[in-house]
Amino acid sequence: MACSKLAVDKKRKVDFENREFKSEWTEKYAFVLPVGSRKPMCLICNETVAIIKSGNVKRHYETKHAHFEQNYPQNTELRTTKINQLKSSYEATSSVIVRSATQQERATEASLRVAWVLGKNKKPFSDAEIVKECMSEVVTALFEGTQKDEIIQKISQIPCSDSTAARRTEILAVDLLEQLSSAVKKAKFISLAVDESTDSTDNAQLMVFVRFFDEEKGEFYEDVLGLTNLHGHTRGDGIYEAVTQMLRDREIDLKHVVSIATDGAPCMTGRERGLVSRLRAHHPDLMAYHCIIHQMVLCASLGERYSEVMTTVMKLVHYLRASSALQHRLLRSFLVEVNATFDDLLLQNNVRWLSKGKVLERFWALRKELETFLLDQKSAKAKPFVDFMKNEEEMEVVAFLTDITSHLNDLNLKLQGKNSTVCDLMSAVRSFQRKLEVFKCDLQQNLLHFPRLLDQTAGKHHRHNYAEFLEKLITNFQTRFEDFPLGKQVLLCIENPFLVKSIAEFSTEAMKVFPWANAATLQTELIELQENLALQESHCDPVTFWTKMVNAAGVPLLQKMALQILTMFPSTYCCESAFSTMNMVKNAYRSTLTNEHLHQCLRLALTPFKPKFKQLVAQRRCHLSH
């Protein structure tokens, strides 16, 4: 062990000792120092010595080139001429090598860029050769003569095989992960979004996203912190171990994580063994909440009567669309023949948030043509569906469901998307809650917000008490969102602090969520901010306002609170979207991708960072030289 330590110390001394090559050694010993090297090279025999040291250079010259000293004595014109000839020959050879190396490096960079574009667009490694072929065809069409030949030759030198593209993807993924690690370690506040899902090959995958504010660039970033397989049962203990391991790998202190958004599953929110409870055991101030989009979907659960009608419609659609390939072809031909609004039905997908609403809209638009098609079939299987479509009471319920799911889908679309803030989503939810009150009144009046129900009833009084359903919907929204950690005044302060009227109510709400805050300081800082006329006149979007404009306003506590709230994930949409991307990548590779390569491809497809191509090529050059 002691010998090993001495060897390491000796190596370190040699590598890092600041030795300087002296120009007189060229004339005296016929040595030069190649560019980018730390080993002097003899111009006579092209051998190198290990260290930049006069003793090493002199020993080599005297022991191996005594004849040179005799033929070309020191301080003579003959010796100077010979040394210059040797130098010229070396420089000419070096320029050829450097030029060749430069071309290789450019080809390597081009190969990296091809792998990057393929990864961003979720394309398989094998497409790299197709890209190369496309480039050659484009050059053939755009250029002529020697210029065309030179460019095609350079393109042919770009390595684009499957294995090369796989290696390039790995290099890029490592670089992107290093950029993420470097940036997230500097962040003061970090938020997590965690979700678990089963992919197309029945593997349980845990997806963790991280969101933070980069002070150097003045931007918020969302990126994949990690993706891992969950073997066996997906329990809270396993998820906790996976998440904490990801934090350790990126050297993230759990105390810097201000919030975590989950899908509300028991393995995430269980009182004793859930992920959140395990994390709070080490970080009591961690803010945890249910994804806003999942909450909204749970609010829209149907009652028994409406669920029965919805099920019948889905069965009818499945019967026409998916029970028989022949029937599906006949249906499409019929819809084209009668010049229907659409030429096909849509199938429901339970995973898709908007699926039922889209299926209902398409069904309602084609209801008359579908009834005619079913009547023409004259089959026993079709008869119950014909009776259903002729039943005005049932179709009235379908009309109402189509209208209300359309409104819910509009809300769902507003809640989706990357880089949204908690303020954006809660504002959309509060707005929809007010709309529900308007919808309830409208049911008793002109049906302005229920055009399909109006069309079905022809302006007559409808048969069902749909207001009861809306009452339940209103209650569901109130119940599920009244427990959201951030109160209305706190959210209003982040969106526009100049609109907060009740300073005391604001500070009370803030203290419930942020125990580190001081109520008196929050109140005085908010008053000072509201009286700042310059900021009031130039108020803009919350992100720009709190990250750039209030820096000089002297409200550090308010700004800290705002940055923590703006860092929060409002939903697990990023995870859901990443799972869809993951399945697209797996389908592109036809399930031939290893888990390691899958994770690398996913990072390229989802990262907000861009690879440092020049640095990667330079690192590869240094690696090869060593």
Side-chain angles (χ1 to χ4, degrees):
M1 193 73 178
C3 292
S4 176
K5 187 176 185 302
L6 286 173
V8 171
D9 291 343
K10 184 176 180 180
K11 183 178 179 181
R12 184 179 297 114
K13 180 180 178 182
V14 168
D15 287 347
F16 293 94
E17 205 170 54
N18 188 22
R19 296 183 181 275
E20 183 181 352
F21 183 86
K22 297 181 179 179
S23 57
E24 59 262 27
W25 293 350
T26 302
E27 180 71 25
K28 196 171 183 180
Y29 305 119
F31 266 83
V32 293
L33 185 67
V35 178
S37 175
R38 299 293 296 169
K39 295 181 179 181
M41 189 189 82
C42 176
L43 290 172
I44 303 169
C45 65
N46 292 334
E47 291 185 7
T48 59
V49 295
I51 308 171
I52 302 176
K53 195 174 181 181
S54 61
N56 291 40
V57 173
K58 181 180 180 182
R59 187 183 308 112
H60 175 92
Y61 177 74
E62 291 178 346
T63 56
K64 293 192 175 184
H65 304 298
H67 65 282
F68 189 86
E69 181 71 21
Q70 295 172 359
N71 296 333
Y72 305 98
Q74 296 282 349
N75 302 319
T76 63
E77 188 175 343
L78 182 63
R79 183 184 181 88
T80 303
T81 304
K82 183 60 178 178
I83 292 292
N84 288 335
Q85 288 176 354
L86 291 172
K87 281 177 63 179
S88 299
S89 177
Y90 163 73
E91 289 169 356
T93 304
S94 297
S95 64
V96 172
I97 295 172
V98 169
R99 187 160 57 249
S100 175
T102 303
Q103 291 174 355
Q104 291 176 358
E105 289 174 2
R106 288 174 178 170
T108 300
E109 182 180 342
S111 178
L112 285 167
R113 290 182 180 275
V114 169
W116 166 244
V117 173
L118 291 177
K120 288 294 289 182
N121 291 279
K122 302 173 277 292
K123 299 299 180 182
F125 301 142
S126 57
D127 283 3
E129 288 287 0
I130 299 175
V131 172
K132 188 174 176 178
E133 185 178 346
C134 288
M135 287 191 288
S136 297
E137 292 296 330
V138 168
V139 170
T140 301
L142 295 180
F143 300 95
E144 295 180 353
T146 56
Q147 187 181 22
K148 180 186 74 174
D149 296 337
E150 288 176 3
I151 297 175
I152 289 179
Q153 183 186 6
K154 290 179 180 179
I155 291 173
S156 67
Q157 294 173 350
I158 301 173
C160 285
S161 66
D162 288 13
S163 56
T164 300
R167 290 196 301 272
R168 300 291 187 257
T169 299
E170 181 180 358
I171 292 169
L172 293 170
V174 170
D175 175 59
L176 294 168
L177 190 58
E178 287 176 354
Q179 290 188 52
L180 170 64
S181 298
S182 175
V184 78
K185 281 191 287 189
K186 300 174 185 175
K188 295 179 180 177
F189 313 118
I190 299 165
S191 288
L192 302 178
V194 184
D195 199 4
E196 175 269 326
S197 181
T198 303
D199 63 20
S200 56
T201 56
D202 293 333
N203 289 320
Q205 303 274 5
L206 180 70
M207 184 79 68
V208 181
F209 264 74
V210 62
R211 178 179 166 92
F212 60 94
F213 180 66
D214 189 323
E215 291 187 354
E216 293 180 2
K217 297 181 180 178
E219 295 180 26
F220 282 95
Y221 283 97
E222 292 180 10
D223 201 358
V224 181
L225 181 67
L227 171 66
T228 186
N229 288 354
L230 296 174
H231 303 288
H233 297 284
T234 55
R235 295 195 176 105
D237 290 339
I239 293 174
Y240 169 77
E241 292 298 334
V243 171
T244 51
Q245 184 61 50
M246 291 178 192
L247 294 175
R248 284 194 295 270
D249 290 343
R250 304 279 77 80
E251 299 180 22
I252 298 173
D253 187 350
L254 181 59
K255 300 293 184 182
H256 291 166
V257 179
V258 297
S259 67
I260 180 170
T262 70
D263 60 358
C267 59
M268 300 288 182
T269 59
R271 185 174 298 178
E272 294 182 3
R273 311 301 297 175
L275 169 66
V276 172
S277 61
R278 295 288 302 275
L279 291 175
R280 277 181 169 164
H282 303 283
H283 183 14
D285 294 336
L286 177 66
M287 193 191 316
Y289 48 92
H290 196 165
C291 161
I292 292 175
I293 300 180
H294 278 89
Q295 293 265 55
M296 172 259 156
V297 173
L298 292 172
C299 287
S301 59
L302 302 174
E304 183 179 349
R305 175 75 182 94
Y306 299 125
S307 293
E308 184 181 337
V309 174
M310 180 73 80
T311 301
T312 303
V313 173
M314 296 305 149
K315 286 181 178 179
L316 195 161
V317 171
H318 186 271
Y319 168 73
L320 292 172
R321 176 75 166 72
S323 63
S324 165
L326 173 61
Q327 183 160 270
H328 186 206
R329 290 196 300 272
L330 292 174
L331 173 64
R332 286 187 298 179
S333 299
F334 174 77
L335 292 175
V336 172
E337 183 181 334
V338 298
N339 198 25
T341 309
F342 301 99
D343 62 1
D344 205 354
L345 288 168
L346 298 176
L347 280 176
Q348 182 199 357
N349 184 337
N350 285 324
V351 178
R352 305 280 181 181
W353 283 319
L354 309 177
S355 181
K356 280 187 178 178
K358 294 293 184 182
V359 172
L360 281 175
E361 286 184 10
R362 182 67 61 90
F363 172 80
W364 185 260
L366 298 173
R367 67 192 185 285
K368 295 178 181 178
E369 291 85 352
L370 295 178
E371 184 179 347
T372 304
F373 181 78
L374 288 169
L375 283 169
D376 290 343
Q377 283 196 322
K378 298 178 182 179
S379 69
K381 289 184 178 180
K383 189 177 185 308
F385 297 125
V386 172
D387 295 340
F388 173 79
M389 296 192 72
K390 285 186 174 182
N391 188 320
E392 291 189 3
E393 185 176 346
E394 301 281 24
M395 293 306 291
E396 183 183 297
V397 175
V398 175
F400 171 73
L401 288 175
T402 306
D403 283 326
I404 195 64
T405 53
S406 175
H407 292 308
L408 289 166
N409 278 2
D410 288 343
L411 171 61
N412 202 310
L413 282 172
K414 290 178 181 177
L415 300 181
Q416 293 183 36
K418 293 182 179 180
N419 298 312
S420 298
T421 66
V422 174
C423 300
D424 297 331
L425 268 65
M426 286 305 299
S427 175
V429 170
R430 304 294 186 206
S431 173
F432 188 75
Q433 287 180 278
R434 292 184 61 190
K435 289 178 185 178
L436 287 175
E437 298 288 350
V438 174
F439 295 162
K440 188 176 75 170
C441 296
D442 186 47
L443 281 171
Q444 310 301 325
Q445 299 173 359
N446 301 322
L447 298 179
L448 297 175
H449 300 283
F450 299 89
R452 298 169 186 86
L453 183 58
L454 178 64
D455 181 40
Q456 179 65 23
T457 58
K460 298 177 184 178
H461 184 69
H462 39 82
R463 297 175 176 81
H464 292 273
N465 183 15
Y466 301 114
E468 184 179 341
F469 175 83
L470 288 180
E471 279 285 359
K472 182 182 178 183
L473 200 56
I474 291 169
T475 303
N476 287 346
F477 270 87
Q478 289 174 345
T479 303
R480 287 196 171 274
F481 286 101
E482 69 181 357
D483 294 331
F484 192 75
L486 302 178
K488 292 181 180 179
Q489 295 301 315
V490 170
L491 291 171
L492 179 61
C493 179
I494 304 305
E495 289 187 277
N496 191 338
F498 305 103
L499 298 180
V500 177
K501 301 301 180 184
S502 176
I503 305 294
E505 185 179 351
F506 157 74
S507 61
T508 301
E509 288 182 1
M511 290 302 297
K512 290 179 181 178
V513 185
F514 304 106
W516 47 261
N518 180 281
T521 305
L522 283 175
Q523 291 180 358
T524 55
E525 285 188 359
L526 181 56
I527 292 171
E528 291 173 6
L529 186 63
Q530 289 181 339
E531 295 303 320
N532 190 320
L533 297 179
L535 285 176
Q536 192 171 354
E537 289 294 327
S538 58
H539 181 263
C540 52
D541 68 277
V543 172
T544 304
F545 181 80
W546 290 106
T547 59
K548 297 178 181 178
M549 300 187 66
V550 302
N551 290 334
V555 288
L557 209 61
L558 268 182
Q559 189 177 28
K560 178 181 178 181
M561 183 188 73
L563 287 177
Q564 288 198 16
I565 293 173
L566 292 173
T567 301
M568 292 169 62
F569 276 105
S571 70
T572 57
Y573 171 83
C574 54
C575 297
E576 300 285 353
S577 177
F579 283 129
S580 297
T581 301
M582 181 177 67
N583 284 327
M584 290 173 64
V585 171
K586 295 192 79 168
N587 290 335
Y589 284 92
R590 299 177 183 176
S591 302
T592 60
L593 207 60
T594 65
N595 275 326
E596 186 178 359
H597 278 143
L598 173 63
H599 296 175
Q600 292 165 1
C601 291
L602 201 60
R603 183 161 298 283
L604 266 64
L606 299 173
T607 183
F609 297 98
K610 189 173 181 180
K612 299 176 180 178
F613 296 106
K614 301 293 184 184
Q615 290 186 19
L616 291 175
V617 173
Q619 288 171 8
R620 184 173 183 272
R621 181 178 65 241
C622 292
H623 176 73
L624 292 175
S625 66
H626 285 300

